[in-house]
Amino acid sequence: MDFSHFNEEGHAKMVDVSLKDKTLRTAIAKCDVYVNKETLHQIKTGGIKKGDVLSVAQVAGIMACKNTSNIIPMAHPLPISSIDIHFSLYDEGKIEVISEVKVNERTGVEMEALTACSVCALTIYDMCKALQKDIRIDNLHLVKKTGGKSDYEV
């Protein structure tokens, strides 16, 4: 099998997408952050001393999405057209993070959507760690992608 991620010497390379057509590509990713009920209450009521947790996490996720190629070595730099991040809070202490990314380009935005979710979750952790040490981040995954050779949906 011929893999496009390796050069003739067998070393990793960035895939050449220059001959591919630009198409609308989207990706939706998701992860969960688990906090205790007191931490969730403090997030909801603005009681976290570092500030508005979800607003800061949202901005961090957007920034991370736009900088994915700086931290994922083989990711292409992309002119992101849109990123939207949503949070759902559940009484048992789960915070669901969902990112949706769009671009009209030659390669997909799966890594950008996953990176956005990851950094949102890490920001929630960072902002709440003084209140709770056992915060858990779980279930990071791609929910859906469209465009390119194939679509995917969980």
Side-chain angles (χ1 to χ4, degrees):
M1 181 176 261
D2 186 32
F3 288 104
S4 59
H5 290 75
F6 297 101
N7 65 18
E8 295 79 24
E9 292 85 33
H11 300 285
K13 72 170 187 173
M14 181 184 278
V15 174
D16 182 0
V17 297
S18 59
L19 298 178
K20 294 172 88 175
D21 291 330
K22 287 186 178 183
T23 60
L24 177 63
R25 295 161 188 264
T26 67
I28 299 172
K30 174 187 169 308
C31 73
D32 301 315
V33 181
Y34 292 92
V35 297
N36 63 36
K37 290 181 181 183
E38 176 58 23
T39 301
L40 184 64
H41 175 72
Q42 295 299 324
I43 291 169
K44 286 181 178 180
T45 61
I48 302 294
K49 292 182 180 181
K50 287 188 174 185
D52 182 340
V53 172
L54 300 182
S55 291
V56 173
Q58 189 167 37
V59 171
I62 291 167
M63 291 174 63
C65 175
K66 296 186 327 182
N67 285 288
T68 298
S69 66
N70 292 326
I71 57 175
I72 306 293
M74 301 304 166
H76 292 83
L78 296 172
I80 301 301
S81 301
S82 171
I83 174 156
D84 198 4
I85 297 171
H86 298 278
F87 302 98
S88 297
L89 284 64
Y90 298 90
D91 290 339
E92 71 272 10
K94 179 172 94 170
I95 302 168
E96 183 180 70
V97 181
I98 299 175
S99 68
E100 182 173 359
V101 183
K102 295 179 183 176
V103 70
N104 189 1
E105 259 305 331
R106 293 177 169 94
T107 190
V109 285
E110 298 93 331
M111 295 309 300
E112 287 72 10
L114 289 161
T115 299
C117 276
S118 299
V119 172
C120 284
L122 291 169
T123 301
I124 293 168
Y125 185 98
D126 178 56
M127 293 188 73
C128 298
K129 68 185 179 196
L131 184 61
Q132 182 185 348
K133 303 290 187 226
D134 63 343
I135 297 168
R136 184 169 49 95
I137 299 168
D138 199 8
N139 201 25
L140 174 66
H141 66 282
L142 184 67
V143 174
K144 181 178 181 180
K145 84 155 218 60
T146 64
K149 287 183 182 178
S150 63
D151 293 342
Y152 169 82
E153 188 165 1
V154 173

